[in-house]
Amino acid sequence: GADLIADGQKVFKKCAACHKVGEGAKNASGPQLNGIVGRTIGGVEGFKYSKVFQAALEEGRVWDEAALTEFLAKPKSYMKGTKMAFSGLKKETDLTAVIAYLASLGE
Ligand code: HEM
């Protein structure tokens, strides 16, 4: 619901230094995240991903909610060799909320 999305928008402040979202969002130190839920891993045009992300793209792996939950809880365990310098979200409620927020964004 709307409250979950609003909570997720607050959680996203932890991500916003590296990731832009919304109309016209550009890649920064991380790729832009519009439409990320359901998108192919490592699929943003013009972003230079780590090798582990490039391999996931070749395998055609997709960011469904389960994959995002695992990755965002422990980025470096889920994607060994990732260059995303973020320790992860500890709270289940933060994970649920930030994924709901990401799912609410358009392409
Ligand atoms: C990749 C989400 C925090 C830097 C990604 C991806 C997602 C994501 C979904 C995969 C993108 C794709 O496959 O196209 C988030 C969320 C965050 C967060 C929700 C906060 C909870 C950060 C922070 C940084 C960062 C703080 C910078 C210090 C990156 C980089 C990548 C990435 C560099 C590409 C990884 C690689 O090529 O190995 N992030 N991120 N992220 N993120 Fe984050």
Side-chain angles (χ1 to χ4, degrees):
D3 292 351
L4 191 60
I5 292 169
D7 287 351
Q9 189 166 17
K10 285 183 201 142
V11 176
F12 192 75
K13 288 179 183 160
K14 296 181 176 173
C15 326
C18 303
H19 293 287
K20 303 306 167 203
V21 292
E23 211 184 317
K26 299 234 175 9
N27 295 327
S29 63
Q32 61 88 0
L33 295 179
N34 290 332
I36 189 70
V37 183
R39 193 163 75 197
T40 309
I41 296 179
V44 175
E45 197 88 10
F47 186 81
K48 188 151 174 28
Y49 290 95
S50 60
K51 289 213 166 74
V52 64
F53 267 70
Q54 291 174 34
L57 177 65
E58 276 167 34
E59 290 164 15
R61 287 165 60 193
V62 165
W63 284 125
D64 58 19
E65 288 188 25
L68 279 170
T69 302
E70 280 195 57
F71 174 60
L72 295 176
K74 285 191 168 186
K76 289 182 161 61
S77 305
Y78 188 72
M79 291 296 262
K80 290 195 173 60
T82 183
K83 60 178 183 177
M84 173 156 130
F86 182 70
S87 60
L89 295 171
K90 303 288 167 276
K91 290 191 208 156
E92 194 73 45
T93 48
D94 285 355
L95 284 165
T96 309
V98 84
I99 292 168
Y101 171 65
L102 291 173
S104 76
L105 302 168
E107 284 301 312

XYZ file of all heavy atoms in Angstrom:
835
model
N 0.819 -1.219 0.000
C 0.000 0.000 0.000
C 0.853 1.269 0.000
O 2.082 1.181 -0.046
N 0.244 2.401 0.035
C 0.930 3.689 -0.074
C 1.905 3.915 1.090
O 2.967 4.497 0.911
C -0.083 4.816 -0.129
N 1.538 3.461 2.299
C 2.422 3.661 3.457
C 3.722 2.898 3.305
O 4.799 3.407 3.637
C 1.730 3.207 4.746
C 0.557 4.116 5.101
O 0.409 5.164 4.435
O -0.194 3.769 6.013
N 3.619 1.672 2.784
C 4.812 0.860 2.560
C 5.742 1.536 1.566
O 6.961 1.595 1.763
C 4.378 -0.523 2.048
C 5.440 -1.606 2.001
C 6.005 -1.864 3.391
C 4.844 -2.890 1.423
N 5.148 2.097 0.517
C 5.944 2.788 -0.499
C 6.607 4.029 0.102
O 7.786 4.298 -0.149
C 5.074 3.140 -1.723
C 4.652 1.849 -2.447
C 5.803 4.076 -2.678
C 3.585 2.029 -3.509
N 5.855 4.765 0.939
C 6.426 5.954 1.595
C 7.566 5.568 2.531
O 8.607 6.233 2.574
C 5.331 6.697 2.361
N 7.386 4.458 3.264
C 8.469 3.962 4.122
C 9.692 3.607 3.276
O 10.833 3.893 3.640
C 8.021 2.710 4.895
C 7.041 3.033 6.013
O 6.837 4.229 6.300
O 6.479 2.081 6.589
N 9.429 2.959 2.156
C 10.511 2.548 1.257
C 11.263 3.724 0.681
O 12.481 3.663 0.491
N 10.540 4.801 0.433
C 11.188 6.013 -0.079
C 12.177 6.568 0.951
O 13.245 7.055 0.597
C 10.125 7.055 -0.429
C 10.668 8.252 -1.162
C 9.576 9.091 -1.796
O 8.397 8.968 -1.442
N 9.952 9.939 -2.735
N 11.816 6.454 2.228
C 12.738 6.893 3.302
C 13.963 5.996 3.361
O 15.101 6.463 3.480
C 12.026 6.884 4.652
C 11.081 8.047 4.814
C 10.437 8.046 6.211
C 9.163 8.861 6.201
N 8.108 8.262 7.033
N 13.730 4.684 3.286
C 14.854 3.736 3.301
C 15.792 4.021 2.129
O 17.013 3.926 2.259
C 14.353 2.270 3.241
C 15.532 1.300 3.157
C 13.473 1.941 4.447
N 15.216 4.412 1.005
C 16.014 4.631 -0.211
C 17.040 5.759 -0.055
O 17.983 5.847 -0.850
C 15.106 4.892 -1.428
C 15.841 4.841 -2.733
C 16.234 3.623 -3.277
C 16.190 6.003 -3.406
C 16.947 3.566 -4.464
C 16.902 5.957 -4.596
C 17.281 4.733 -5.128
N 16.891 6.587 0.988
C 17.912 7.625 1.235
C 19.297 7.004 1.393
O 20.314 7.628 1.094
C 17.556 8.442 2.473
C 16.378 9.371 2.223
C 16.023 10.160 3.468
C 14.799 11.028 3.197
N 14.139 11.439 4.450
N 19.325 5.746 1.874
C 20.610 5.039 2.031
C 21.215 4.653 0.684
O 22.379 4.250 0.619
C 20.399 3.759 2.858
C 19.962 4.032 4.272
C 19.794 2.745 5.054
C 19.452 3.071 6.504
N 19.118 1.887 7.277
N 20.430 4.689 -0.337
C 20.851 4.240 -1.665
C 21.095 5.413 -2.609
O 21.801 5.278 -3.621
C 19.775 3.359 -2.288
S 18.850 2.334 -1.099
N 20.493 6.556 -2.269
C 20.388 7.663 -3.221
C 21.719 8.330 -3.547
O 21.834 9.006 -4.574
C 19.401 8.700 -2.688
N 22.739 8.132 -2.688
C 24.051 8.697 -3.009
C 24.619 8.043 -4.269
O 25.392 8.660 -5.008
C 25.016 8.502 -1.840
N 24.212 6.816 -4.523
C 24.779 6.046 -5.646
C 23.777 5.753 -6.755
O 24.174 5.439 -7.874
C 25.347 4.730 -5.142
S 26.590 4.948 -3.855
N 22.480 5.782 -6.430
C 21.451 5.399 -7.400
C 20.423 6.505 -7.603
O 19.817 6.971 -6.638
C 20.690 4.161 -6.914
C 21.499 2.912 -6.874
N 21.881 2.235 -8.006
C 21.983 2.194 -5.834
C 22.558 1.147 -7.669
N 22.651 1.100 -6.348
N 20.187 6.882 -8.844
C 19.146 7.856 -9.174
C 17.905 7.110 -9.668
O 18.007 6.037 -10.279
C 19.640 8.822 -10.263
C 20.924 9.567 -9.881
C 20.788 10.298 -8.556
C 22.143 10.752 -8.031
N 22.111 10.962 -6.548
N 16.751 7.694 -9.396
C 15.475 7.151 -9.870
C 14.591 8.306 -10.341
O 14.877 9.463 -10.043
C 14.726 6.372 -8.753
C 15.455 5.096 -8.367
C 14.480 7.247 -7.536
N 13.538 7.982 -11.050
C 12.601 9.006 -11.500
C 12.897 9.429 -12.930
O 13.864 8.952 -13.541
N 12.037 10.323 -13.422
C 12.134 10.715 -14.822
C 13.517 11.258 -15.162
O 14.056 12.101 -14.448
C 11.075 11.789 -15.104
C 10.553 11.754 -16.517
C 9.573 12.888 -16.776
O 8.716 13.150 -15.906
O 9.700 13.493 -17.849
N 14.096 10.737 -16.213
C 15.389 11.226 -16.683
C 16.563 10.805 -15.819
O 17.657 11.346 -15.968
N 16.365 9.846 -14.900
C 17.451 9.433 -13.998
C 18.648 8.914 -14.795
O 18.494 8.127 -15.720
C 16.950 8.351 -13.042
N 19.829 9.392 -14.410
C 21.063 8.983 -15.087
C 21.831 7.999 -14.208
O 21.641 7.958 -13.000
C 21.938 10.227 -15.316
C 21.300 11.279 -16.193
C 22.226 11.603 -17.338
C 21.680 12.557 -18.389
N 20.420 13.231 -18.143
N 22.711 7.239 -14.836
C 23.618 6.405 -14.049
C 24.559 7.301 -13.257
O 24.977 8.354 -13.736
C 24.434 5.498 -14.968
C 23.561 4.490 -15.694
O 22.556 4.042 -15.146
N 23.944 4.124 -16.899
N 24.868 6.891 -12.018
C 25.824 7.631 -11.193
C 26.938 6.645 -10.844
O 27.383 5.907 -11.708
C 25.112 8.180 -9.969
N 27.358 6.595 -9.567
C 28.325 5.552 -9.237
C 27.640 4.191 -9.279
O 28.284 3.163 -9.468
C 29.006 5.819 -7.897
O 28.061 5.805 -6.867
N 26.308 4.160 -9.140
C 25.521 2.954 -9.394
C 24.578 3.193 -10.564
O 24.327 4.344 -10.935
N 24.035 2.120 -11.144
C 23.095 2.276 -12.269
C 21.772 2.889 -11.813
O 21.375 2.710 -10.658
C 22.888 0.832 -12.743
C 23.169 -0.015 -11.537
C 24.246 0.702 -10.787
N 21.099 3.593 -12.699
C 19.752 4.101 -12.382
C 18.834 2.899 -12.156
O 19.062 1.830 -12.726
C 19.242 5.062 -13.465
C 19.102 4.492 -14.872
C 17.754 3.840 -15.139
O 16.881 3.795 -14.280
N 17.587 3.307 -16.337
N 17.836 3.067 -11.295
C 17.040 1.907 -10.866
C 15.566 1.954 -11.296
O 14.745 1.206 -10.761
C 17.134 1.735 -9.341
C 18.516 1.378 -8.789
C 18.462 1.271 -7.258
C 19.049 0.081 -9.382
N 15.230 2.780 -12.286
C 13.834 2.753 -12.763
C 13.506 1.382 -13.337
O 14.288 0.824 -14.108
C 13.617 3.814 -13.849
C 13.656 5.219 -13.296
O 13.339 5.440 -12.128
N 14.054 6.170 -14.124
N 12.370 0.834 -12.944
C 11.916 -0.432 -13.516
C 12.766 -1.637 -13.142
O 12.727 -2.665 -13.819
N 13.518 -1.535 -12.042
C 14.464 -2.602 -11.704
C 13.765 -3.927 -11.350
O 14.290 -4.999 -11.665
C 15.416 -2.145 -10.558
C 16.552 -3.158 -10.347
C 14.693 -1.911 -9.251
C 17.559 -3.192 -11.456
N 12.593 -3.854 -10.720
C 11.913 -5.098 -10.333
C 11.374 -5.776 -11.598
O 10.567 -5.193 -12.326
C 10.784 -4.848 -9.311
C 10.144 -6.167 -8.888
C 11.308 -4.108 -8.084
N 11.883 -6.960 -11.879
C 11.495 -7.688 -13.084
C 12.452 -7.515 -14.240
O 12.294 -8.136 -15.281
N 13.483 -6.657 -14.035
C 14.446 -6.401 -15.109
C 15.602 -7.399 -15.048
O 15.901 -7.964 -14.003
C 14.985 -4.978 -14.956
C 15.743 -4.466 -16.155
C 15.879 -2.960 -16.084
N 16.879 -2.540 -15.104
C 16.963 -1.308 -14.629
N 16.099 -0.400 -14.986
N 17.906 -0.997 -13.764
N 16.273 -7.600 -16.177
C 17.454 -8.456 -16.223
C 18.567 -7.857 -15.368
O 18.780 -6.643 -15.390
C 17.949 -8.592 -17.678
O 16.844 -8.975 -18.483
C 19.028 -9.654 -17.793
N 19.262 -8.693 -14.626
C 20.389 -8.246 -13.803
C 21.484 -7.676 -14.714
O 21.803 -8.269 -15.746
C 20.949 -9.417 -12.956
C 19.873 -9.902 -11.963
C 22.242 -9.012 -12.244
C 20.310 -11.069 -11.081
N 22.012 -6.515 -14.319
C 23.115 -5.924 -15.081
C 22.703 -5.379 -16.437
O 23.540 -5.284 -17.337
N 21.447 -4.985 -16.574
C 20.918 -4.662 -17.890
C 20.829 -3.191 -18.265
O 20.330 -2.875 -19.338
N 21.303 -2.293 -17.408
C 21.167 -0.870 -17.742
C 22.215 -0.455 -18.773
O 23.419 -0.650 -18.573
C 21.296 0.025 -16.486
C 21.272 1.504 -16.868
C 20.162 -0.269 -15.516
N 21.709 0.104 -19.844
C 22.535 0.603 -20.940
C 23.573 1.606 -20.417
O 23.234 2.499 -19.656
C 21.604 1.319 -21.931
C 22.159 1.563 -23.286
C 21.897 0.378 -24.222
O 21.127 -0.538 -23.848
O 22.465 0.396 -25.304
N 24.820 1.422 -20.826
C 25.830 2.431 -20.539
C 26.446 2.360 -19.155
O 27.291 3.191 -18.822
N 26.048 1.396 -18.327
C 26.684 1.275 -17.014
C 27.717 0.161 -17.057
O 27.448 -0.908 -17.578
C 25.670 0.986 -15.897
C 26.301 1.017 -14.527
C 26.527 2.223 -13.885
C 26.735 -0.157 -13.917
C 27.166 2.265 -12.645
C 27.372 -0.123 -12.675
C 27.584 1.092 -12.037
N 28.909 0.430 -16.501
C 29.962 -0.589 -16.501
C 29.882 -1.426 -15.225
O 30.293 -0.993 -14.155
C 31.341 0.080 -16.638
C 32.449 -0.936 -16.836
C 33.603 -0.384 -17.635
C 34.792 -1.359 -17.714
N 34.487 -2.766 -17.623
N 29.319 -2.609 -15.351
C 29.115 -3.506 -14.212
C 30.366 -4.337 -13.934
O 31.226 -4.527 -14.800
C 27.967 -4.474 -14.524
C 26.587 -3.854 -14.574
C 26.047 -3.439 -15.783
C 25.823 -3.706 -13.420
C 24.771 -2.885 -15.852
C 24.549 -3.154 -13.466
C 24.033 -2.753 -14.688
O 22.768 -2.205 -14.740
N 30.396 -4.892 -12.713
C 31.445 -5.844 -12.334
C 31.274 -7.138 -13.134
O 30.227 -7.384 -13.736
C 31.329 -6.153 -10.839
O 30.062 -6.719 -10.569
N 32.303 -7.986 -13.087
C 32.272 -9.252 -13.831
C 31.112 -10.146 -13.400
O 30.474 -10.789 -14.239
C 33.597 -10.007 -13.632
C 34.775 -9.339 -14.358
C 35.767 -10.386 -14.841
C 36.750 -9.788 -15.836
N 37.758 -8.924 -15.139
N 30.840 -10.193 -12.100
C 29.773 -11.081 -11.615
C 28.408 -10.613 -12.145
O 27.539 -11.437 -12.471
C 29.799 -11.210 -10.065
C 29.503 -9.887 -9.371
C 28.828 -12.268 -9.577
N 28.242 -9.302 -12.288
C 26.995 -8.782 -12.874
C 26.942 -9.069 -14.379
O 25.886 -9.391 -14.913
C 26.865 -7.274 -12.609
C 26.075 -6.959 -11.365
C 26.593 -7.227 -10.106
C 24.815 -6.394 -11.447
C 25.862 -6.947 -8.953
C 24.071 -6.106 -10.308
C 24.597 -6.384 -9.060
N 28.090 -8.945 -15.047
C 28.123 -9.230 -16.494
C 27.775 -10.686 -16.751
O 27.066 -11.014 -17.715
C 29.506 -8.891 -17.067
C 29.785 -7.383 -17.090
C 31.210 -7.058 -17.526
O 31.792 -7.747 -18.342
N 31.769 -5.992 -16.965
N 28.253 -11.589 -15.858
C 27.952 -13.016 -16.004
C 26.461 -13.275 -15.794
O 25.848 -14.067 -16.524
C 28.791 -13.826 -15.015
N 25.869 -12.602 -14.804
C 24.436 -12.772 -14.535
C 23.603 -12.308 -15.734
O 22.588 -12.928 -16.072
C 24.037 -11.994 -13.284
N 24.061 -11.226 -16.376
C 23.366 -10.725 -17.571
C 23.416 -11.770 -18.685
O 22.402 -12.062 -19.325
C 24.001 -9.417 -18.034
C 23.436 -8.806 -19.324
C 21.985 -8.385 -19.142
C 24.258 -7.605 -19.776
N 24.589 -12.357 -18.889
C 24.725 -13.384 -19.933
C 23.826 -14.589 -19.657
O 23.311 -15.204 -20.587
C 26.188 -13.842 -20.051
C 27.005 -12.913 -20.944
C 28.503 -13.143 -20.824
O 28.909 -14.306 -20.626
O 29.250 -12.160 -20.916
N 23.646 -14.900 -18.361
C 22.776 -16.024 -17.992
C 21.295 -15.641 -18.057
O 20.424 -16.494 -17.889
C 23.107 -16.504 -16.571
C 24.462 -17.193 -16.465
C 24.952 -17.320 -15.016
O 24.142 -17.144 -14.079
O 26.159 -17.572 -14.841
N 21.023 -14.363 -18.245
C 19.644 -13.896 -18.362
C 18.895 -13.875 -17.039
O 17.666 -13.941 -17.006
N 19.652 -13.764 -15.940
C 18.986 -13.741 -14.622
C 18.221 -12.437 -14.417
O 18.605 -11.394 -14.919
C 20.018 -13.957 -13.518
C 20.501 -15.406 -13.474
C 21.759 -15.546 -12.660
N 21.574 -15.123 -11.277
C 22.572 -14.911 -10.430
N 23.828 -15.069 -10.825
N 22.322 -14.537 -9.198
N 17.130 -12.537 -13.656
C 16.195 -11.419 -13.513
C 16.058 -11.035 -12.034
O 16.133 -11.878 -11.140
C 14.821 -11.829 -14.109
C 13.716 -10.870 -13.680
C 14.911 -11.907 -15.627
N 15.860 -9.753 -11.794
C 15.610 -9.251 -10.435
C 14.147 -9.441 -10.064
O 13.341 -8.526 -10.218
C 15.960 -7.767 -10.320
C 17.404 -7.432 -10.234
C 18.096 -6.581 -11.047
C 18.345 -7.885 -9.250
N 19.406 -6.500 -10.638
C 19.579 -7.293 -9.547
C 18.258 -8.759 -8.156
C 20.728 -7.531 -8.789
C 19.410 -8.994 -7.412
C 20.620 -8.379 -7.726
N 13.789 -10.610 -9.545
C 12.454 -10.741 -8.965
C 12.566 -10.353 -7.479
O 13.655 -10.039 -6.987
C 11.890 -12.154 -9.162
C 12.779 -13.233 -8.573
O 13.645 -12.922 -7.712
O 12.614 -14.396 -8.970
N 11.441 -10.366 -6.769
C 11.470 -9.900 -5.379
C 12.358 -10.753 -4.494
O 13.040 -10.245 -3.599
C 10.052 -9.828 -4.818
C 9.287 -8.672 -5.434
C 7.938 -8.430 -4.789
O 7.746 -8.799 -3.614
O 7.076 -7.857 -5.477
N 12.386 -12.065 -4.746
C 13.215 -12.961 -3.935
C 14.702 -12.642 -4.113
O 15.451 -12.555 -3.134
C 12.928 -14.413 -4.299
N 15.115 -12.441 -5.355
C 16.521 -12.134 -5.646
C 16.915 -10.788 -5.038
O 17.981 -10.648 -4.431
C 16.765 -12.135 -7.155
N 16.032 -9.792 -5.169
C 16.330 -8.466 -4.601
C 16.436 -8.541 -3.078
O 17.306 -7.896 -2.480
C 15.242 -7.462 -4.996
C 15.369 -6.871 -6.400
C 14.105 -6.097 -6.761
C 16.597 -5.963 -6.509
N 15.557 -9.322 -2.456
C 15.590 -9.440 -0.998
C 16.925 -10.012 -0.538
O 17.563 -9.475 0.375
C 14.435 -10.331 -0.497
O 13.205 -9.758 -0.938
C 14.415 -10.433 1.015
N 17.376 -11.067 -1.183
C 18.657 -11.681 -0.801
C 19.835 -10.753 -1.068
O 20.737 -10.613 -0.242
C 18.880 -12.978 -1.586
C 18.133 -14.155 -1.015
C 18.656 -15.453 -1.593
O 19.870 -15.727 -1.482
O 17.838 -16.185 -2.181
N 19.824 -10.114 -2.243
C 20.924 -9.223 -2.617
C 21.014 -8.038 -1.657
O 22.099 -7.714 -1.155
C 20.728 -8.726 -4.051
C 21.717 -7.689 -4.506
C 23.090 -7.961 -4.538
C 21.293 -6.433 -4.926
C 24.009 -7.004 -4.969
C 22.202 -5.464 -5.357
C 23.562 -5.752 -5.376
N 19.884 -7.399 -1.387
C 19.906 -6.183 -0.562
C 20.162 -6.479 0.912
O 20.600 -5.613 1.652
C 18.620 -5.378 -0.751
C 18.429 -4.818 -2.173
C 17.082 -4.131 -2.301
C 19.567 -3.863 -2.545
N 19.913 -7.706 1.349
C 20.233 -8.088 2.725
C 21.752 -8.248 2.886
O 22.315 -7.825 3.898
C 19.520 -9.378 3.102
N 22.385 -8.845 1.887
C 23.846 -9.081 1.935
C 24.424 -9.035 0.534
O 24.701 -10.079 -0.075
C 24.134 -10.447 2.572
C 23.943 -10.470 4.078
C 24.505 -11.753 4.663
C 24.579 -11.657 6.173
N 25.241 -12.817 6.783
N 24.639 -7.821 0.028
C 25.069 -7.685 -1.369
C 26.283 -8.544 -1.726
O 26.300 -9.210 -2.751
C 25.390 -6.195 -1.494
C 24.525 -5.547 -0.458
C 24.436 -6.519 0.679
N 27.286 -8.539 -0.863
C 28.535 -9.210 -1.221
C 28.460 -10.729 -1.099
O 29.320 -11.442 -1.640
C 29.685 -8.654 -0.382
C 30.040 -7.234 -0.814
C 31.207 -6.691 -0.021
C 31.886 -5.514 -0.700
N 31.050 -4.338 -0.922
N 27.453 -11.242 -0.388
C 27.261 -12.690 -0.329
C 26.465 -13.166 -1.537
O 26.758 -14.210 -2.111
C 26.499 -13.097 0.931
O 27.152 -12.606 2.056
N 25.449 -12.385 -1.901
C 24.588 -12.809 -3.012
C 25.301 -12.668 -4.355
O 25.104 -13.483 -5.253
C 23.292 -11.995 -3.014
C 22.291 -12.517 -4.016
C 21.624 -13.719 -3.800
C 22.035 -11.829 -5.200
C 20.727 -14.218 -4.727
C 21.128 -12.320 -6.129
C 20.483 -13.514 -5.880
O 19.599 -14.005 -6.808
N 26.116 -11.616 -4.497
C 26.832 -11.365 -5.752
C 28.319 -11.230 -5.422
O 28.832 -10.123 -5.253
C 26.326 -10.081 -6.417
C 24.913 -10.168 -6.953
S 24.699 -11.371 -8.282
C 24.791 -10.304 -9.715
N 28.995 -12.361 -5.325
C 30.415 -12.347 -4.929
C 31.242 -11.628 -5.986
O 31.259 -12.034 -7.137
C 30.914 -13.770 -4.715
C 30.304 -14.393 -3.473
C 31.041 -15.643 -3.020
C 30.509 -16.138 -1.687
N 29.062 -16.480 -1.720
N 31.915 -10.538 -5.536
C 32.709 -9.745 -6.462
C 32.008 -8.467 -6.909
O 32.550 -7.712 -7.700
N 30.814 -8.227 -6.376
C 30.112 -6.985 -6.756
C 30.893 -5.759 -6.304
O 31.598 -5.794 -5.286
C 28.690 -6.919 -6.154
O 28.054 -5.709 -6.635
C 28.695 -6.886 -4.639
N 30.756 -4.701 -7.076
C 31.392 -3.437 -6.669
C 30.407 -2.523 -5.959
O 30.700 -1.352 -5.732
C 32.048 -2.755 -7.874
C 31.121 -2.395 -9.007
C 31.935 -1.681 -10.099
C 31.037 -1.225 -11.237
N 31.768 -0.485 -12.272
N 29.224 -3.057 -5.599
C 28.295 -2.238 -4.798
C 28.797 -2.217 -3.355
O 28.731 -3.219 -2.651
C 26.870 -2.793 -4.869
C 25.904 -2.080 -3.938
S 24.195 -2.198 -4.460
C 23.378 -2.746 -2.972
N 29.332 -1.052 -2.932
C 29.926 -0.911 -1.603
C 28.844 -0.554 -0.587
O 28.688 0.600 -0.191
C 31.017 0.157 -1.639
N 28.061 -1.531 -0.217
C 26.946 -1.322 0.710
C 26.806 -2.595 1.532
O 26.802 -3.694 0.978
C 25.665 -1.034 -0.083
C 24.460 -0.750 0.771
C 24.368 0.415 1.503
C 23.415 -1.658 0.833
C 23.249 0.678 2.292
C 22.294 -1.401 1.615
C 22.223 -0.227 2.350
N 26.699 -2.432 2.862
C 26.748 -3.617 3.730
C 25.435 -4.382 3.750
O 25.406 -5.562 4.094
C 27.119 -3.195 5.148
O 26.153 -2.304 5.635
N 24.354 -3.726 3.373
C 23.065 -4.425 3.325
C 22.073 -3.870 4.321
O 22.443 -3.146 5.243
N 20.807 -4.194 4.125
C 19.737 -3.766 5.024
C 19.475 -4.892 6.015
O 19.229 -6.021 5.618
C 18.473 -3.450 4.221
C 18.571 -2.257 3.266
C 17.324 -2.194 2.373
C 18.755 -0.944 4.011
N 19.521 -4.568 7.295
C 19.392 -5.593 8.335
C 17.931 -5.934 8.633
O 17.610 -7.057 8.979
C 20.058 -5.122 9.631
C 21.531 -4.761 9.474
C 22.415 -5.996 9.282
C 23.816 -5.615 8.825
N 23.920 -5.416 7.348
N 17.065 -4.934 8.512
C 15.672 -5.138 8.930
C 14.810 -5.654 7.789
O 14.748 -5.040 6.720
C 15.071 -3.815 9.418
C 15.634 -3.322 10.733
C 14.763 -2.155 11.230
C 15.534 -1.191 12.095
N 14.926 0.146 12.090
N 14.095 -6.725 8.070
C 13.135 -7.306 7.125
C 12.136 -6.242 6.631
O 11.820 -6.172 5.446
C 12.381 -8.431 7.861
C 11.588 -9.353 6.960
C 12.474 -10.293 6.167
O 13.404 -10.885 6.746
O 12.224 -10.429 4.952
N 11.682 -5.389 7.566
C 10.691 -4.365 7.204
C 11.281 -3.343 6.217
O 10.586 -2.883 5.315
C 10.186 -3.612 8.457
O 11.322 -3.229 9.247
C 9.269 -4.480 9.295
N 12.572 -3.016 6.379
C 13.232 -2.094 5.443
C 13.355 -2.725 4.064
O 13.168 -2.058 3.037
C 14.628 -1.713 5.952
C 14.582 -0.712 7.098
O 13.478 -0.241 7.448
O 15.656 -0.402 7.646
N 13.676 -4.014 4.040
C 13.800 -4.731 2.759
C 12.467 -4.731 2.017
O 12.405 -4.395 0.829
C 14.243 -6.184 3.010
C 15.719 -6.377 3.363
C 15.948 -7.772 3.933
C 16.581 -6.152 2.128
N 11.412 -5.113 2.728
C 10.080 -5.165 2.111
C 9.687 -3.788 1.579
O 9.184 -3.663 0.459
C 9.044 -5.633 3.151
O 9.529 -6.826 3.758
C 7.699 -5.910 2.506
N 9.933 -2.767 2.406
C 9.509 -1.408 2.039
C 10.299 -0.875 0.840
O 9.715 -0.312 -0.096
C 9.668 -0.474 3.238
N 11.615 -1.068 0.838
C 12.404 -0.478 -0.257
C 12.095 -1.197 -1.573
O 12.061 -0.564 -2.646
C 13.926 -0.434 0.074
C 14.629 -1.752 -0.236
C 14.603 0.713 -0.674
N 11.805 -2.487 -1.513
C 11.450 -3.213 -2.742
C 10.071 -2.762 -3.239
O 9.869 -2.589 -4.440
C 11.551 -4.738 -2.519
C 13.026 -5.130 -2.311
C 10.964 -5.504 -3.711
C 13.245 -6.540 -1.795
N 9.139 -2.514 -2.316
C 7.828 -1.976 -2.720
C 7.998 -0.605 -3.383
O 7.350 -0.293 -4.389
C 6.903 -1.872 -1.510
N 8.886 0.210 -2.820
C 9.168 1.523 -3.418
C 9.744 1.369 -4.822
O 9.282 2.015 -5.778
C 10.115 2.320 -2.517
C 10.622 3.592 -3.142
C 9.745 4.639 -3.441
C 11.971 3.746 -3.456
C 10.209 5.800 -4.046
C 12.443 4.905 -4.050
C 11.565 5.931 -4.346
O 12.023 7.084 -4.945
N 10.740 0.488 -4.972
C 11.355 0.275 -6.292
C 10.313 -0.236 -7.295
O 10.318 0.170 -8.458
C 12.527 -0.716 -6.188
C 13.765 -0.214 -5.432
C 14.769 -1.349 -5.253
C 14.416 0.973 -6.144
N 9.421 -1.117 -6.823
C 8.393 -1.672 -7.711
C 7.387 -0.611 -8.142
O 6.714 -0.768 -9.165
C 7.678 -2.824 -7.015
N 7.287 0.478 -7.379
C 6.321 1.533 -7.703
C 6.855 2.490 -8.776
O 6.106 3.309 -9.302
C 5.980 2.335 -6.438
O 7.025 3.231 -6.101
N 8.158 2.380 -9.093
C 8.766 3.292 -10.066
C 8.515 2.788 -11.482
O 8.583 1.595 -11.736
C 10.283 3.372 -9.840
C 10.750 3.835 -8.460
C 12.243 3.584 -8.310
C 10.419 5.305 -8.255
N 8.296 3.694 -12.393
C 8.131 3.319 -13.795
C 9.472 3.041 -14.451
O 10.507 3.010 -13.778
N 9.444 2.816 -15.750
C 10.682 2.507 -16.502
C 11.612 3.704 -16.500
O 11.405 4.685 -17.078
C 10.338 2.103 -17.935
C 9.783 0.707 -18.030
C 10.725 -0.360 -17.492
O 11.922 -0.338 -17.861
O 10.282 -1.194 -16.712
C 23.833 -2.310 -8.161
C 20.015 -1.437 -5.298
C 22.913 1.019 -2.247
C 26.298 1.101 -5.709
C 22.555 -2.347 -7.620
C 21.444 -3.102 -8.131
C 20.387 -2.851 -7.333
C 20.820 -1.944 -6.303
C 18.983 -3.411 -7.465
C 21.464 -3.967 -9.379
C 21.241 -3.078 -10.585
C 21.181 -3.797 -11.920
O 21.252 -5.029 -11.977
O 21.057 -3.081 -12.934
C 20.471 -0.698 -4.208
C 19.649 -0.310 -3.074
C 20.478 0.311 -2.176
C 21.789 0.390 -2.796
C 18.145 -0.572 -2.968
C 20.152 0.806 -0.785
C 19.432 0.008 0.066
C 24.060 1.315 -2.945
C 25.107 2.184 -2.471
C 26.065 2.209 -3.456
C 25.622 1.344 -4.537
C 25.092 2.943 -1.136
C 27.394 2.978 -3.505
C 28.167 3.089 -2.379
C 25.962 0.137 -6.652
C 26.829 -0.282 -7.741
C 26.123 -1.298 -8.426
C 24.834 -1.450 -7.761
C 28.221 0.241 -8.054
C 26.635 -2.132 -9.593
C 27.239 -3.393 -8.959
C 28.216 -4.186 -9.798
O 28.411 -3.904 -10.999
O 28.817 -5.089 -9.203
N 22.152 -1.655 -6.500
N 21.746 -0.249 -4.007
N 24.397 0.821 -4.192
N 24.794 -0.577 -6.697
Fe 23.289 -0.454 -5.335
